[in-house]
Amino acid sequence: MKFTSTRNSGIHVESAYTIAKGISDEGGLFVPETIPGFGEGELAELSKLDYIGRAKAVFAKYLTDYTDEEISDALRSAYGNGKFENDIPDQLVKLTGGPYMLELWHGSTCAFKDVALQILPHLLTKAVQKTGGVKETVILVATSGDTGKAALEGFRDVDGTRIIVFYPSDGVSAMQKLQMSTQTGNNVAVCAVKGNFDDTQTAVKKIFTDSGVKALLAEQGKAFSSANSINFGRLLPQIVYYVSAYCTMLADGEIAPGEKINYTVPTGNFGNILAAYYAKHMGVPVNKLICASNSNNVLTDFLRTGRYNKNRNFYTTASPSMDILISSNLERLLYLLTDCNDKAVSGFMEELQESGEYRVPDSVLASLRDEFDAGWCDDDDAGKSIKSAFAEYSYLLDTHTAVAMRVYEEYAGRTGDATKTIIASTANPYKFPRAVLGAIGLPVPDDDFEAAEKLFEVSRQPIPEQLRRLKEAKVRFADVIDREDMRSFVLSTVLSTGGEA
Ligand SMILES: *Cc1c(COP(=O)(O)O)cnc(C)c1O
C-alpha cells in the first residue's frame, strides 16, 4: 500500500512516513492510493473475532510497511490493557424500538477520540524509527474540546515525544477545560487561544508548514507531527470501529449477512464520518451515511447543494466539539470523489482560503447525494432529543450525540427509511452535565460537579471516576494568548534548552 497527497498525486510514500509527518509539505492530506477491500466472507470471519482481531485485519491492509508483530503490539497496548472499560472500545447498545448506539466513550477521557489517540502514539513512535528518526517528535494539536485531552493522555510521558495543545479560550465546556488545564506529564503543554476553533486550527496548520520554524526544530533533531484527524494514523483506528460494529451486528444476529445499515455521525471536522465512508468502501454494506451538524451547518448545506461556504455566523453551541466551519477531512472525500484529481482539490482549497467558498461539479454533487444524507439542529432541538431519549429509553445522550439522534429521527421521518441504523455516540454525557441536566428539565446548578451529582441521582448512570477526580486536580496551565503569539509559544516551549520543566 502506498499513500499519496490530496494536493499532489506525484507523491508515493509508505504509511509510516505519513504517520510520522502528519501533513504533506504542500499542505495536502495523505490518503491511501486505493481503498483496500474485504475478501469474500471476510466480514463473517471477522465477526467471530474480538476487537483487536478485527482491528488487526483492517490495519494489515493499510500498514503494509509495519510487521504483524508491530501492529499486534500497538493494538494490545492501546486496547488490551484496561484502557477501555472491559477492553471493549466500541460498546453497541440497542435502544428498544430505536437505533443502535455505538458508544465510543468508554476510554480514559470519555470521548470517542480516545479510540484513535490511545493507539496513535504507538504507531507514531514506530513510524519515527522506520523513517530514520528524529530525537523528538513535537505533536501540535488544535482542539475543539475533546481531541486535546485525548491526545494529552495518549502522548503523556511517551519517550521521544512532546505535545502542545491549543484550545479556543471560550470554545470548550468547563469540564473539557479542566480536563486539559490539569493535565499531568513531563512532556505536555496546554494553552488557551483567543478566538474560535477555526482560527486556532488555521494557525496550527500554518506553524506546521512554516519552514523557518521547521529549520529551527531540525537543528535540534526535532520535527513536528500531528495528532489531529489530518493524520492518517487517526483515521485508520476509526475505520475499525465501523467495521467492528457491523461485525457485532452480524454476530448478534441483528442483521443477515450482506444486509445494509445506516450510520449517523455527529460531525465537525468530518474525520469520524469519513472513517465510516472508508469502511463502506472497504465493503461494509452501508445504505446511507447521515451527517449531523449543529447550528454551524456548513456541511448540511454543502452535502445538499455542492456549495461550500464558510462565510457565515460562527455559533458557540452546547456541542462545542462540532463548532467548526472548516472541516479539514472533507478534502480527502473531495479527492476520492473527483477520481483523485489533485489539481481540482488544490483549486477548491485555494478558493476556500481566498474567498471562503467553492462549488463542486454536478458529478461530484450526485455522488455526495447518493452516499450521504445530511441535517442539522440547534441547541434547543438537541435538548429535546436528550429529554425524549431519557423519557423513552431511560438513556442519557450527551450534547453531540443528541444532535445525531435528532437528525436521524428527522431523516427517518422525512424519507421513511427503516434501514437499521447505528448512531456514533461520541461522548459521555457527564462531560456536559449542566447542558444535559437542563435539557431533561431539571434546575441547573452553576457548578459542573454538582450538576453531575444531580444527573446521577436521576439516572443512576455512574459518573466516570476520571471526571469526578478533576474536582480536586491542580490547575497547571492557565495561559491565554493571542493567535499571533502561538508561533513564539511553540518555539519557546520546544526549544527551551535550560532545565526541563
Ligand atoms: C470531535 C467530536 C465530534 C466531531 O468529530 P469529527 O471527526 O471532528 O467530525 C463529535 N462529537 C464529539 C463528542 C467530539 O469530541
Side-chain angles (χ1 to χ4, degrees):
M1 174 66 73
K2 288 279 192 284
F3 288 71
T4 186
S5 161
T6 51
R7 298 189 202 176
N8 180 358
S9 302
I11 288 175
H12 307 282
V13 292
E14 311 258 29
S15 79
Y17 180 86
T18 78
I19 292 170
K21 254 181 97 72
I23 189 167
S24 188
D25 280 330
E26 80 296 336
L29 306 189
F30 290 116
V31 283
E33 290 192 334
T34 55
I35 299 181
F38 292 111
E40 177 91 28
E42 194 175 349
L43 284 173
E45 285 306 311
L46 292 185
S47 68
K48 297 173 193 152
L49 305 179
D50 64 5
Y51 192 81
I52 290 181
R54 294 169 185 173
K56 211 182 282 184
V58 174
F59 275 41
K61 292 181 197 293
Y62 291 93
L63 307 184
T64 50
D65 51 331
Y66 284 66
T67 64
D68 286 349
E69 203 191 340
E70 285 171 328
I71 292 175
S72 297
D73 274 357
L75 287 168
R76 267 198 307 272
S77 313
Y79 304 134
N81 258 339
K83 299 273 176 58
F84 290 85
E85 212 175 303
N86 304 319
D87 288 341
I88 303 173
D90 64 335
Q91 296 192 24
L92 193 62
V93 174
K94 182 179 185 176
L95 301 182
T96 311
Y100 298 77
M101 307 306 291
L102 179 59
E103 295 181 352
L104 300 165
W105 40 260
H106 292 276
S108 54
T109 77
C110 306
F112 84 93
K113 308 270 189 340
D114 287 328
V115 182
L117 283 162
Q118 279 298 324
I119 194 159
L120 183 65
H122 300 286
L123 297 177
L124 186 97
T125 43
K126 290 181 170 69
V128 171
Q129 287 162 12
K130 284 175 187 298
T131 51
V134 283
K135 275 192 289 193
E136 184 174 88
T137 302
V138 179
I139 310 293
L140 277 193
V141 182
T143 183
S144 58
D146 289 327
T147 299
K149 179 62 183 180
L152 288 162
E153 276 301 305
F155 282 96
R156 165 169 61 99
D157 294 330
V158 171
D159 284 345
T161 71
R162 174 175 289 275
I163 173 164
I164 304 175
V165 170
F166 293 107
Y167 69 89
S169 56
D170 300 318
V172 303
S173 82
M175 200 67 104
Q176 288 176 319
K177 188 182 268 187
L178 207 50
Q179 277 189 307
M180 291 187 278
S181 62
T182 59
Q183 180 65 42
T184 59
N186 288 320
N187 62 339
V188 304
V190 176
C191 183
V193 181
K194 291 174 203 160
N196 64 37
F197 172 71
D198 288 324
D199 299 332
T200 311
Q201 174 166 256
T202 304
V204 161
K205 275 196 197 161
K206 220 161 116 193
I207 297 171
F208 257 123
T209 42
D210 183 321
S211 49
V213 177
K214 284 201 289 191
L216 286 170
L217 260 64
E219 275 172 26
Q220 299 194 358
K222 300 174 181 185
F224 284 132
S225 187
S226 170
N228 278 98
S229 54
I230 53 176
N231 192 322
F232 188 77
R234 267 286 294 281
L235 204 60
L236 178 58
Q238 298 182 349
I239 299 172
V240 173
Y241 51 69
Y242 289 107
V243 174
S244 176
Y246 189 87
C247 291
T248 302
M249 294 278 276
L250 272 181
D252 293 352
E254 296 290 336
I255 49 171
E259 184 175 338
K260 287 186 178 177
I261 61 170
N262 296 325
Y263 281 112
T264 304
V265 184
T267 297
N269 226 349
F270 210 76
N272 205 6
I273 195 166
L274 183 73
Y277 179 91
Y278 267 88
K280 175 183 175 185
H281 287 267
M282 290 180 77
V284 173
V286 172
N287 174 44
K288 284 280 179 195
L289 299 169
I290 301 158
C291 177
S293 301
N294 64 21
S295 295
N296 296 296
N297 55 6
V298 61
L299 286 168
T300 313
D301 289 346
F302 174 69
L303 293 170
R304 288 179 181 172
T305 67
R307 177 162 173 258
Y308 195 97
N309 183 2
K310 78 166 183 78
N311 300 319
R312 58 178 74 211
N313 230 333
F314 181 95
Y315 295 98
T316 301
T317 73
S319 43
S321 300
M322 295 157 67
D323 289 347
I324 293 175
L325 292 177
I326 306 173
S327 296
S328 302
N329 275 290
L330 197 56
E331 180 168 346
R332 288 188 163 114
L333 181 68
L334 293 173
Y335 184 76
L336 291 167
L337 294 183
T338 54
D339 292 325
C340 309
N341 188 335
D342 54 348
K343 302 282 174 306
V345 173
S346 306
F348 298 144
M349 294 304 123
E350 268 163 38
E351 285 178 61
L352 182 64
Q353 187 158 19
E354 276 157 27
S355 66
E357 62 174 299
Y358 60 87
R359 181 189 285 279
V360 296
D362 286 348
S363 56
V364 173
L365 177 58
S367 314
L368 289 173
R369 284 214 176 123
D370 180 44
E371 303 211 49
F372 292 88
D373 200 286
W376 69 279
C377 72
D378 63 14
D379 283 351
D380 276 354
D381 281 342
K384 283 180 197 151
S385 74
I386 292 176
K387 185 170 183 163
S388 65
F390 189 58
E392 272 177 54
Y393 311 116
S394 303
Y395 189 82
L396 276 186
L397 297 170
D398 91 283
T399 50
H400 302 73
T401 311
V403 170
M405 178 67 94
R406 182 77 184 187
V407 167
Y408 165 65
E409 285 173 347
E410 182 274 320
Y411 163 84
R414 165 165 49 86
T415 60
D417 181 9
T419 305
K420 290 177 186 118
T421 296
I422 294 178
I423 294 181
S425 175
T426 50
N428 184 306
Y430 284 108
K431 276 196 114 161
F432 312 92
R434 299 177 68 249
V436 174
L437 197 64
I440 57 179
L442 294 169
V444 183
D446 285 339
D447 179 70
D448 266 31
F449 297 97
E450 262 177 62
E453 293 297 338
K454 285 273 178 320
L455 205 51
F456 172 71
E457 278 168 29
V458 293
S459 70
R460 292 284 137 189
Q461 178 171 326
I463 304 173
E465 204 35 52
Q466 58 271 44
L467 295 184
R468 194 196 288 277
R469 275 200 306 265
L470 289 175
K471 195 173 174 182
E472 268 79 47
K474 188 168 142 268
V475 171
R476 294 181 68 204
F477 302 100
D479 286 341
V480 185
I481 64 172
D482 287 317
R483 200 178 354 149
E484 293 70 35
D485 298 328
M486 288 168 65
R487 187 178 184 272
S488 54
F489 183 92
V490 168
L491 287 176
S492 64
T493 304
V494 174
L495 300 180
S496 60
T497 43
E500 288 293 290

